[in-house]
Amino acid sequence: MFAATSKGRAFLRAKRHSLPWWFKLRTEERVFEKYCPSLWEEIRGIADGLGITMERAVLAFGNGGLRPPTGGCSAVMTGTVYGRNYDFKPRHYGARLALVQPTGTYASIGASERLTGRLDGMNEHGLVIGLHLVRRSPRAPGFGCVLVVRMVLDQCATTAEAVAMLRKLPHAMQYNYSLLDANGVAAVVEVVPGCVAVRTGTWLACTNHFQSALLRPLNRRAAHSQQRLPPLENWASRDLDAAAMFTALNRSISPAFHHGYLRGAGTLHTIVAEPAKKRLLIGIGGDAAALDEDMLDVDFDDWLRGNDLPVAYLEGQLGGMSQPFEWPVSRRRKRVAA
C-alpha cells in the first residue's frame, strides 16, 4: 500500500542513497532486540515487501529515519477524556491512520509516521499517548519520538508502565509525552537525553515547553506555547465530555487551533479519546464536528472483534471554515516581460 502512494513511488525511484558514517546495522539490531524486537521484525517485513536492502529499510523506517523534529501540539487530560491537536506542515504529514493487531504486542490505533512510528494513539488497554516537541537541538544517540510512542503503545497497558518505560529508554531529543490510561491516571513525561521529569494530577495540560522546575531552564523561547496553555487548563479543570472537548480543540477559531500551515505548523488532525470506553474521535483539519462526514467515531473494541471501520479514508478541511487552506498550494508561473 505504501509503494502505491506518491511518497512510496518517490522513495522507490530514488535508487542512489548513501548511509551516514555513524550507521551500523549490527548496532541498530542490538538496540532494537533489547527494547523492541517486534519492530525489528516489522522493518524486516517492510524490506522484503518493498524489495530493498535491510540497511535502507532500517535507515528509512527504523530509528535513523525517525529523528527529525515532529510537530507543535496541544493536549489536555481529565480523569476520563484525552484530547489533542497535532500541528505540523502538510508537506511532512504521514496522512495515515493505522490500526494494527500484531502477535506478541498490544493492538493499537494511531496516526502513522514513516510506517513504523506513531504521532499519537490508543492501544487495546485504553492507554493513550501523544508527543510534543520542545527543542530541536541538541540531539543525542537514542530513540526518536515517533518510535518511542509506538513502543509505548505496543508494550504498556497503564500510565505507570509507560512512565517506567520512558524512564529507561535512551532518548534522542527533547520532548513532552502526554498520557492517560483506562483507570483515569494522567501524566506528562518531560524528556531530555539523560533526564526525565514526570508531572501528575487529576487534570493536566501540555504544550511545547517544559513545566517542571527541573527542566524549565532548558526551554527555548516558548511564548506561543505558553499562550495556548491557559485555555487548555481551563478545559481540563471543567472536566469537559468527549464531544465538548473535541469541539473546543477542533474549532478553527479555538485558541488551541493553528493556522500557520505555511509559516511552520498548522492543525492537521484532532483526536479525543475515552480510554475506559476504548473510544476515539478523529477529525482532519478544522470544524470536523460541524461537518459531520469529516469526523470519525471509532469503537476500538468493535474493531478488535473483527468489524472493519465504516470508511476507507477520512477527509477534512485544513484551516476549517474560518480560514480554509488548500493543499497542495498551487504554483502559478509569473510572466516575465521580455
Side-chain angles (χ1 to χ4, degrees):
M1 293 176 67
F2 171 71
T5 65
S6 58
K7 289 184 179 180
R9 290 193 297 269
F11 176 81
L12 293 173
R13 281 198 305 268
K15 300 301 182 182
R16 297 180 60 185
H17 60 278
S18 58
L19 300 176
W21 64 268
W22 49 264
F23 182 88
K24 294 179 175 60
L25 185 63
R26 181 56 188 148
T27 301
E28 297 286 323
E29 183 177 9
R30 283 199 300 266
V31 175
F32 272 81
E33 289 294 338
K34 179 178 180 180
Y35 292 104
C36 49
S38 61
L39 276 177
W40 186 257
E41 292 304 311
E42 184 171 321
I43 295 170
R44 190 187 300 277
I46 292 173
D48 291 342
L50 294 178
I52 60 176
T53 65
M54 191 63 178
E55 286 83 358
R56 189 180 181 192
V58 173
L59 184 65
F61 306 109
N63 200 46
L66 298 179
R67 292 185 61 184
T70 307
C73 316
S74 305
V76 56
M77 293 142 282
T78 69
T80 57
V81 173
Y82 174 100
R84 157 182 165 81
N85 279 353
Y86 174 65
D87 310 320
F88 202 43
K89 301 176 183 178
R91 182 186 302 276
H92 302 299
Y93 187 39
R96 183 180 293 106
L97 183 67
L99 294 88
V100 296
Q101 194 172 15
T103 302
T105 61
Y106 300 140
S108 64
I109 175 174
S112 173
E113 182 70 17
R114 299 294 290 176
L115 299 187
T116 52
R118 298 291 184 269
L119 301 169
D120 44 46
M122 177 180 67
N123 68 16
E124 64 183 79
H125 293 282
L127 179 66
V128 189
I129 181 173
L131 57 80
H132 312 259
L133 172 69
V134 176
R135 294 190 66 172
R136 291 180 170 85
S137 61
R139 302 184 185 184
F143 283 112
C145 55
V146 293
L147 200 61
V148 169
V149 171
R150 175 67 187 276
M151 291 163 64
V152 168
L153 291 172
D154 280 358
Q155 302 178 42
C156 301
T158 65
T159 295
E161 291 180 9
V163 169
M165 170 175 277
L166 291 168
R167 286 189 183 279
K168 74 177 183 180
L169 289 176
H171 296 275
M173 295 176 63
Q174 301 183 28
Y175 270 82
N176 290 327
Y177 296 93
S178 50
L179 295 154
L180 181 66
D181 65 16
N183 298 317
V185 179
V188 174
V189 182
E190 302 180 349
V191 166
V192 301
C195 185
V196 173
V198 180
R199 294 193 294 115
T200 58
T202 54
W203 56 263
L204 292 168
C206 175
T207 51
N208 300 100
H209 64 280
F210 295 134
Q211 297 182 55
S212 67
L214 177 64
L215 298 182
R216 198 180 301 136
L218 299 178
N219 284 329
R220 56 188 170 89
R221 295 179 180 177
H224 193 275
S225 178
Q226 292 167 349
Q227 290 168 5
R228 278 181 281 131
L229 194 60
L232 295 171
E233 292 177 334
N234 178 42
W235 301 333
S237 65
R238 288 163 52 194
D239 197 20
L240 300 180
D241 63 21
M245 187 70 76
F246 189 93
T247 300
L249 287 165
N250 190 247
R251 286 183 307 165
S252 56
I253 58 172
S254 166
F257 194 95
H258 276 214
H259 290 276
Y261 295 100
L262 292 178
R263 297 190 303 273
T267 297
L268 298 174
H269 72 243
T270 298
I271 67 166
V272 170
E274 293 183 278
K277 297 180 180 180
K278 314 289 177 50
R279 181 191 184 203
L280 195 70
L281 303 176
I282 308 161
I284 304 300
D287 300 315
L291 305 168
D292 293 335
E293 68 278 9
D294 291 348
M295 186 177 73
L296 183 64
D297 191 338
V298 179
D299 181 343
F300 194 52
D301 272 338
D302 188 56
W303 182 84
L304 292 172
R305 289 190 292 266
N307 298 313
D308 288 339
L309 297 186
V311 298
Y313 62 91
L314 189 63
E315 294 183 345
Q317 175 60 61
L318 296 183
M321 293 182 289
S322 65
Q323 298 182 44
F325 176 83
E326 300 301 327
W327 180 263
V329 177
S330 61
R331 297 180 178 179
R332 297 180 179 178
R333 294 183 178 179
K334 296 181 179 181
R335 293 184 179 180
V336 179

PDB file of all heavy atoms in Angstrom, residues 1 15 32 60 63 89 102 118 122 136 152 165 168 176 187 189 207 229 248 259 301 304 309 312-313:
ATOM      1  N   MET A   1       0.830  -1.207   0.000  1.00  0.00           N
ATOM      2  CA  MET A   1       0.000   0.000   0.000  1.00  0.00           C
ATOM      3  C   MET A   1       0.863   1.255   0.000  1.00  0.00           C
ATOM      4  O   MET A   1       0.572   2.227  -0.682  1.00  0.00           O
ATOM      5  CB  MET A   1      -0.937  -0.016   1.201  1.00  0.00           C
ATOM      6  CG  MET A   1      -2.005  -1.109   1.141  1.00  0.00           C
ATOM      7  SD  MET A   1      -3.032  -1.173   2.632  1.00  0.00           S
ATOM      8  CE  MET A   1      -3.897   0.397   2.491  1.00  0.00           C
ATOM      9  N   LYS A  15      17.104   5.532  -6.436  1.00  0.00           N
ATOM     10  CA  LYS A  15      17.996   4.371  -6.438  1.00  0.00           C
ATOM     11  C   LYS A  15      19.314   4.659  -5.733  1.00  0.00           C
ATOM     12  O   LYS A  15      19.948   3.773  -5.186  1.00  0.00           O
ATOM     13  CB  LYS A  15      18.271   3.938  -7.885  1.00  0.00           C
ATOM     14  CG  LYS A  15      17.014   3.550  -8.660  1.00  0.00           C
ATOM     15  CD  LYS A  15      16.277   2.398  -7.999  1.00  0.00           C
ATOM     16  CE  LYS A  15      15.058   1.985  -8.800  1.00  0.00           C
ATOM     17  NZ  LYS A  15      14.303   0.896  -8.140  1.00  0.00           N
ATOM     18  N   PHE A  32      17.437  -2.591  18.908  1.00  0.00           N
ATOM     19  CA  PHE A  32      16.047  -2.993  18.684  1.00  0.00           C
ATOM     20  C   PHE A  32      15.738  -4.298  19.408  1.00  0.00           C
ATOM     21  O   PHE A  32      14.650  -4.457  19.980  1.00  0.00           O
ATOM     22  CB  PHE A  32      15.757  -3.135  17.187  1.00  0.00           C
ATOM     23  CG  PHE A  32      15.315  -1.870  16.523  1.00  0.00           C
ATOM     24  CD1 PHE A  32      16.244  -0.915  16.123  1.00  0.00           C
ATOM     25  CD2 PHE A  32      13.977  -1.618  16.292  1.00  0.00           C
ATOM     26  CE1 PHE A  32      15.851   0.252  15.508  1.00  0.00           C
ATOM     27  CE2 PHE A  32      13.566  -0.448  15.672  1.00  0.00           C
ATOM     28  CZ  PHE A  32      14.505   0.497  15.283  1.00  0.00           C
ATOM     29  N   ALA A  60      15.481   4.225   6.836  1.00  0.00           N
ATOM     30  CA  ALA A  60      14.284   4.993   6.485  1.00  0.00           C
ATOM     31  C   ALA A  60      13.141   4.774   7.457  1.00  0.00           C
ATOM     32  O   ALA A  60      12.416   5.713   7.787  1.00  0.00           O
ATOM     33  CB  ALA A  60      13.835   4.623   5.072  1.00  0.00           C
ATOM     34  N   ASN A  63      15.128   3.710  13.426  1.00  0.00           N
ATOM     35  CA  ASN A  63      15.422   4.892  14.231  1.00  0.00           C
ATOM     36  C   ASN A  63      16.153   5.982  13.466  1.00  0.00           C
ATOM     37  O   ASN A  63      15.965   7.165  13.731  1.00  0.00           O
ATOM     38  CB  ASN A  63      16.240   4.502  15.462  1.00  0.00           C
ATOM     39  CG  ASN A  63      16.173   5.543  16.549  1.00  0.00           C
ATOM     40  OD1 ASN A  63      15.099   6.036  16.862  1.00  0.00           O
ATOM     41  ND2 ASN A  63      17.303   5.905  17.101  1.00  0.00           N
ATOM     42  N   LYS A  89       3.581  20.776   9.379  1.00  0.00           N
ATOM     43  CA  LYS A  89       3.488  21.192   7.991  1.00  0.00           C
ATOM     44  C   LYS A  89       2.816  20.097   7.165  1.00  0.00           C
ATOM     45  O   LYS A  89       3.170  18.924   7.285  1.00  0.00           O
ATOM     46  CB  LYS A  89       4.887  21.464   7.433  1.00  0.00           C
ATOM     47  CG  LYS A  89       5.657  22.546   8.177  1.00  0.00           C
ATOM     48  CD  LYS A  89       7.070  22.673   7.627  1.00  0.00           C
ATOM     49  CE  LYS A  89       7.872  23.704   8.411  1.00  0.00           C
ATOM     50  NZ  LYS A  89       9.262  23.809   7.917  1.00  0.00           N
ATOM     51  N   PRO A 102      -0.908  -6.977  15.999  1.00  0.00           N
ATOM     52  CA  PRO A 102       0.188  -7.925  15.776  1.00  0.00           C
ATOM     53  C   PRO A 102       0.244  -8.996  16.860  1.00  0.00           C
ATOM     54  O   PRO A 102      -0.291  -8.835  17.958  1.00  0.00           O
ATOM     55  CB  PRO A 102       1.427  -7.036  15.833  1.00  0.00           C
ATOM     56  CG  PRO A 102       1.040  -5.918  16.742  1.00  0.00           C
ATOM     57  CD  PRO A 102      -0.438  -5.707  16.553  1.00  0.00           C
ATOM     58  N   ARG A 118       4.543   6.325  15.333  1.00  0.00           N
ATOM     59  CA  ARG A 118       3.219   6.868  15.629  1.00  0.00           C
ATOM     60  C   ARG A 118       3.377   8.273  16.215  1.00  0.00           C
ATOM     61  O   ARG A 118       4.267   8.523  17.037  1.00  0.00           O
ATOM     62  CB  ARG A 118       2.460   5.993  16.637  1.00  0.00           C
ATOM     63  CG  ARG A 118       2.182   4.574  16.163  1.00  0.00           C
ATOM     64  CD  ARG A 118       1.171   4.547  15.038  1.00  0.00           C
ATOM     65  NE  ARG A 118       0.846   3.171  14.660  1.00  0.00           N
ATOM     66  CZ  ARG A 118       1.477   2.476  13.723  1.00  0.00           C
ATOM     67  NH1 ARG A 118       2.497   3.034  13.062  1.00  0.00           N
ATOM     68  NH2 ARG A 118       1.113   1.242  13.433  1.00  0.00           N
ATOM     69  N   MET A 122      -3.945   5.062  20.695  1.00  0.00           N
ATOM     70  CA  MET A 122      -4.521   4.352  21.840  1.00  0.00           C
ATOM     71  C   MET A 122      -4.388   2.856  21.586  1.00  0.00           C
ATOM     72  O   MET A 122      -4.553   2.399  20.450  1.00  0.00           O
ATOM     73  CB  MET A 122      -6.005   4.720  21.991  1.00  0.00           C
ATOM     74  CG  MET A 122      -6.726   3.988  23.112  1.00  0.00           C
ATOM     75  SD  MET A 122      -8.489   4.484  23.236  1.00  0.00           S
ATOM     76  CE  MET A 122      -9.133   3.810  21.690  1.00  0.00           C
ATOM     77  N   ARG A 136      14.578  21.393  19.146  1.00  0.00           N
ATOM     78  CA  ARG A 136      15.150  20.617  18.043  1.00  0.00           C
ATOM     79  C   ARG A 136      16.572  20.148  18.341  1.00  0.00           C
ATOM     80  O   ARG A 136      17.050  19.178  17.759  1.00  0.00           O
ATOM     81  CB  ARG A 136      15.159  21.448  16.768  1.00  0.00           C
ATOM     82  CG  ARG A 136      13.780  21.724  16.209  1.00  0.00           C
ATOM     83  CD  ARG A 136      13.872  22.562  14.949  1.00  0.00           C
ATOM     84  NE  ARG A 136      12.592  22.656  14.261  1.00  0.00           N
ATOM     85  CZ  ARG A 136      11.656  23.536  14.562  1.00  0.00           C
ATOM     86  NH1 ARG A 136      11.877  24.417  15.529  1.00  0.00           N
ATOM     87  NH2 ARG A 136      10.506  23.561  13.902  1.00  0.00           N
ATOM     88  N   VAL A 152       5.578   2.475  23.350  1.00  0.00           N
ATOM     89  CA  VAL A 152       4.666   2.565  24.490  1.00  0.00           C
ATOM     90  C   VAL A 152       3.330   1.899  24.153  1.00  0.00           C
ATOM     91  O   VAL A 152       2.784   1.134  24.956  1.00  0.00           O
ATOM     92  CB  VAL A 152       4.448   4.043  24.891  1.00  0.00           C
ATOM     93  CG1 VAL A 152       3.289   4.176  25.866  1.00  0.00           C
ATOM     94  CG2 VAL A 152       5.727   4.603  25.517  1.00  0.00           C
ATOM     95  N   MET A 165       8.752   2.832  31.290  1.00  0.00           N
ATOM     96  CA  MET A 165       9.469   2.627  30.031  1.00  0.00           C
ATOM     97  C   MET A 165      10.166   3.902  29.583  1.00  0.00           C
ATOM     98  O   MET A 165      11.333   3.872  29.149  1.00  0.00           O
ATOM     99  CB  MET A 165       8.510   2.151  28.943  1.00  0.00           C
ATOM    100  CG  MET A 165       9.130   2.151  27.549  1.00  0.00           C
ATOM    101  SD  MET A 165       8.074   1.467  26.267  1.00  0.00           S
ATOM    102  CE  MET A 165       8.426  -0.282  26.501  1.00  0.00           C
ATOM    103  N   LYS A 168      13.484   4.487  31.237  1.00  0.00           N
ATOM    104  CA  LYS A 168      14.636   3.624  30.934  1.00  0.00           C
ATOM    105  C   LYS A 168      15.130   3.756  29.501  1.00  0.00           C
ATOM    106  O   LYS A 168      16.262   3.373  29.201  1.00  0.00           O
ATOM    107  CB  LYS A 168      14.293   2.160  31.232  1.00  0.00           C
ATOM    108  CG  LYS A 168      13.359   1.505  30.235  1.00  0.00           C
ATOM    109  CD  LYS A 168      13.145   0.035  30.581  1.00  0.00           C
ATOM    110  CE  LYS A 168      12.264  -0.656  29.534  1.00  0.00           C
ATOM    111  NZ  LYS A 168      12.049  -2.085  29.847  1.00  0.00           N
ATOM    112  N   ASN A 176       7.934  16.376  25.226  1.00  0.00           N
ATOM    113  CA  ASN A 176       6.926  16.016  26.221  1.00  0.00           C
ATOM    114  C   ASN A 176       6.104  14.855  25.666  1.00  0.00           C
ATOM    115  O   ASN A 176       5.835  14.807  24.456  1.00  0.00           O
ATOM    116  CB  ASN A 176       5.980  17.185  26.507  1.00  0.00           C
ATOM    117  CG  ASN A 176       6.645  18.310  27.270  1.00  0.00           C
ATOM    118  OD1 ASN A 176       7.522  18.081  28.089  1.00  0.00           O
ATOM    119  ND2 ASN A 176       6.229  19.543  26.994  1.00  0.00           N
ATOM    120  N   ALA A 187      -0.559  11.657  33.100  1.00  0.00           N
ATOM    121  CA  ALA A 187       0.811  12.098  33.371  1.00  0.00           C
ATOM    122  C   ALA A 187       1.345  12.824  32.154  1.00  0.00           C
ATOM    123  O   ALA A 187       0.921  12.572  31.018  1.00  0.00           O
ATOM    124  CB  ALA A 187       1.719  10.914  33.714  1.00  0.00           C
ATOM    125  N   VAL A 189       5.178  13.345  30.746  1.00  0.00           N
ATOM    126  CA  VAL A 189       6.573  12.953  30.939  1.00  0.00           C
ATOM    127  C   VAL A 189       7.443  13.895  30.115  1.00  0.00           C
ATOM    128  O   VAL A 189       7.335  13.934  28.885  1.00  0.00           O
ATOM    129  CB  VAL A 189       6.805  11.488  30.527  1.00  0.00           C
ATOM    130  CG1 VAL A 189       8.258  11.090  30.779  1.00  0.00           C
ATOM    131  CG2 VAL A 189       5.864  10.563  31.296  1.00  0.00           C
ATOM    132  N   THR A 207       1.746  21.516  26.329  1.00  0.00           N
ATOM    133  CA  THR A 207       2.044  22.099  25.026  1.00  0.00           C
ATOM    134  C   THR A 207       3.508  21.817  24.696  1.00  0.00           C
ATOM    135  O   THR A 207       3.959  20.684  24.873  1.00  0.00           O
ATOM    136  CB  THR A 207       1.720  23.602  24.993  1.00  0.00           C
ATOM    137  OG1 THR A 207       2.352  24.250  26.112  1.00  0.00           O
ATOM    138  CG2 THR A 207       0.225  23.840  25.064  1.00  0.00           C
ATOM    139  N   LEU A 229      -1.522  27.388  26.765  1.00  0.00           N
ATOM    140  CA  LEU A 229      -1.702  26.575  27.970  1.00  0.00           C
ATOM    141  C   LEU A 229      -2.920  26.960  28.812  1.00  0.00           C
ATOM    142  O   LEU A 229      -3.678  26.070  29.227  1.00  0.00           O
ATOM    143  CB  LEU A 229      -0.428  26.624  28.814  1.00  0.00           C
ATOM    144  CG  LEU A 229      -0.326  25.587  29.924  1.00  0.00           C
ATOM    145  CD1 LEU A 229      -0.391  24.177  29.351  1.00  0.00           C
ATOM    146  CD2 LEU A 229       0.985  25.780  30.700  1.00  0.00           C
ATOM    147  N   ALA A 248     -13.976  22.040  21.426  1.00  0.00           N
ATOM    148  CA  ALA A 248     -13.084  23.064  21.978  1.00  0.00           C
ATOM    149  C   ALA A 248     -11.735  23.068  21.278  1.00  0.00           C
ATOM    150  O   ALA A 248     -11.170  24.133  20.990  1.00  0.00           O
ATOM    151  CB  ALA A 248     -12.914  22.832  23.479  1.00  0.00           C
ATOM    152  N   HIS A 259      -3.159  28.016  12.461  1.00  0.00           N
ATOM    153  CA  HIS A 259      -3.391  28.281  11.047  1.00  0.00           C
ATOM    154  C   HIS A 259      -2.081  28.514  10.288  1.00  0.00           C
ATOM    155  O   HIS A 259      -2.117  28.917   9.127  1.00  0.00           O
ATOM    156  CB  HIS A 259      -4.300  29.499  10.877  1.00  0.00           C
ATOM    157  CG  HIS A 259      -5.714  29.257  11.305  1.00  0.00           C
ATOM    158  ND1 HIS A 259      -6.656  28.675  10.486  1.00  0.00           N
ATOM    159  CD2 HIS A 259      -6.338  29.503  12.489  1.00  0.00           C
ATOM    160  CE1 HIS A 259      -7.816  28.569  11.131  1.00  0.00           C
ATOM    161  NE2 HIS A 259      -7.648  29.074  12.348  1.00  0.00           N
ATOM    162  N   ASP A 301     -12.870  -1.482  20.537  1.00  0.00           N
ATOM    163  CA  ASP A 301     -13.246  -2.841  20.916  1.00  0.00           C
ATOM    164  C   ASP A 301     -14.003  -3.526  19.784  1.00  0.00           C
ATOM    165  O   ASP A 301     -13.838  -4.727  19.541  1.00  0.00           O
ATOM    166  CB  ASP A 301     -14.092  -2.831  22.194  1.00  0.00           C
ATOM    167  CG  ASP A 301     -13.237  -2.895  23.451  1.00  0.00           C
ATOM    168  OD1 ASP A 301     -12.074  -3.351  23.354  1.00  0.00           O
ATOM    169  OD2 ASP A 301     -13.723  -2.488  24.520  1.00  0.00           O
ATOM    170  N   LEU A 304     -11.559  -4.648  17.289  1.00  0.00           N
ATOM    171  CA  LEU A 304     -10.836  -5.821  17.778  1.00  0.00           C
ATOM    172  C   LEU A 304     -11.665  -7.100  17.638  1.00  0.00           C
ATOM    173  O   LEU A 304     -11.111  -8.199  17.518  1.00  0.00           O
ATOM    174  CB  LEU A 304     -10.432  -5.620  19.242  1.00  0.00           C
ATOM    175  CG  LEU A 304      -9.369  -4.551  19.509  1.00  0.00           C
ATOM    176  CD1 LEU A 304      -9.211  -4.331  21.005  1.00  0.00           C
ATOM    177  CD2 LEU A 304      -8.034  -4.959  18.891  1.00  0.00           C
ATOM    178  N   LEU A 309     -13.762  -0.634  10.027  1.00  0.00           N
ATOM    179  CA  LEU A 309     -14.261   0.727  10.124  1.00  0.00           C
ATOM    180  C   LEU A 309     -15.223   1.000   8.967  1.00  0.00           C
ATOM    181  O   LEU A 309     -15.101   0.400   7.897  1.00  0.00           O
ATOM    182  CB  LEU A 309     -13.104   1.728  10.073  1.00  0.00           C
ATOM    183  CG  LEU A 309     -12.072   1.674  11.198  1.00  0.00           C
ATOM    184  CD1 LEU A 309     -11.089   2.832  11.057  1.00  0.00           C
ATOM    185  CD2 LEU A 309     -12.714   1.705  12.556  1.00  0.00           C
ATOM    186  N   ALA A 312     -12.965   3.991   4.365  1.00  0.00           N
ATOM    187  CA  ALA A 312     -11.627   3.600   3.935  1.00  0.00           C
ATOM    188  C   ALA A 312     -10.652   4.768   4.014  1.00  0.00           C
ATOM    189  O   ALA A 312      -9.442   4.567   4.055  1.00  0.00           O
ATOM    190  CB  ALA A 312     -11.665   3.055   2.507  1.00  0.00           C
ATOM    191  N   TYR A 313     -11.172   5.976   4.015  1.00  0.00           N
ATOM    192  CA  TYR A 313     -10.329   7.166   4.141  1.00  0.00           C
ATOM    193  C   TYR A 313     -11.144   8.271   4.784  1.00  0.00           C
ATOM    194  O   TYR A 313     -12.378   8.234   4.803  1.00  0.00           O
ATOM    195  CB  TYR A 313      -9.764   7.608   2.787  1.00  0.00           C
ATOM    196  CG  TYR A 313     -10.817   7.997   1.780  1.00  0.00           C
ATOM    197  CD1 TYR A 313     -11.266   9.312   1.673  1.00  0.00           C
ATOM    198  CD2 TYR A 313     -11.351   7.041   0.920  1.00  0.00           C
ATOM    199  CE1 TYR A 313     -12.239   9.664   0.757  1.00  0.00           C
ATOM    200  CE2 TYR A 313     -12.324   7.389  -0.010  1.00  0.00           C
ATOM    201  CZ  TYR A 313     -12.763   8.695  -0.090  1.00  0.00           C
ATOM    202  OH  TYR A 313     -13.718   9.031  -0.997  1.00  0.00           O
TER     203      TYR A 313
END
